Amino acid sequence: VQLQASGGGLVQAGGSLRVSCAASGIFVSINDMKWYRQAPGKERDLVAVVTGYGSTDYADSVKGRFTISRDFAKNTVYLQMESLKPEDTAVYYCNAEIRVRWDRSPRHYWGQGTQVTVSS
């Protein structure tokens, strides 16, 4: 199982960016899919989550600006980021809870991270 993130880049403050993360490999189900971010010298923080039922939740710092969504058919999670601020600058990591077989417990997988830089 692999998670491949893409879509990061450099954007000016106030701009928009969308990052994507696709799961590939052999598995039977994906539960929660999440986005985390880690700024230099800081801990990795949860940004947003979308459950296997499509429910969403966000960190207070991004509520009203970021939107998480998923395409169940493509096994892909997206993070649409609007009104970006310099403090949103970080490496963004996707995380998914994936079950590879019905007789195995699900486990968490991480994507490789994608850099988002917001200039002031």
Side-chain angles (χ1 to χ4, degrees):
V1 175
Q2 285 190 327
L3 293 178
Q4 182 68 44
S6 61
L10 173 64
V11 64
Q12 287 188 333
S16 302
L17 204 60
R18 188 177 83 158
V19 291
S20 305
C21 177
S24 62
I26 299 174
F27 49 86
V28 296
S29 69
I30 303 176
N31 299 331
D32 295 355
M33 301 187 84
K34 301 175 181 177
W35 284 100
Y36 287 78
R37 67 186 181 186
Q38 187 167 21
K42 295 189 176 181
E43 294 184 351
R44 190 173 298 189
D45 294 324
L46 178 63
V47 175
V49 57
V50 56
T51 71
Y53 300 99
S55 300
T56 60
D57 201 7
Y58 300 89
D60 288 342
S61 59
V62 306
K63 279 182 180 176
R65 300 188 299 120
F66 289 12
T67 302
I68 189 171
S69 61
R70 66 191 283 179
D71 185 325
F72 287 86
K74 295 182 178 179
N75 298 314
T76 299
V77 61
Y78 306 95
L79 186 68
Q80 178 68 41
M81 301 178 285
E82 308 282 350
S83 302
L84 282 161
K85 305 175 182 179
E87 51 263 44
D88 295 318
T89 296
V91 177
Y92 284 69
Y93 296 91
C94 57
N95 174 283
E97 186 180 33
I98 298 175
R99 186 188 297 269
V100 297
R101 285 171 41 170
W102 289 117
D103 60 346
R104 297 275 181 90
S105 297
R107 55 157 287 193
H108 288 271
Y109 293 83
W110 289 93
Q112 85 282 11
T114 184
Q115 177 70 46
V116 172
T117 302
V118 184
S119 62
S120 57

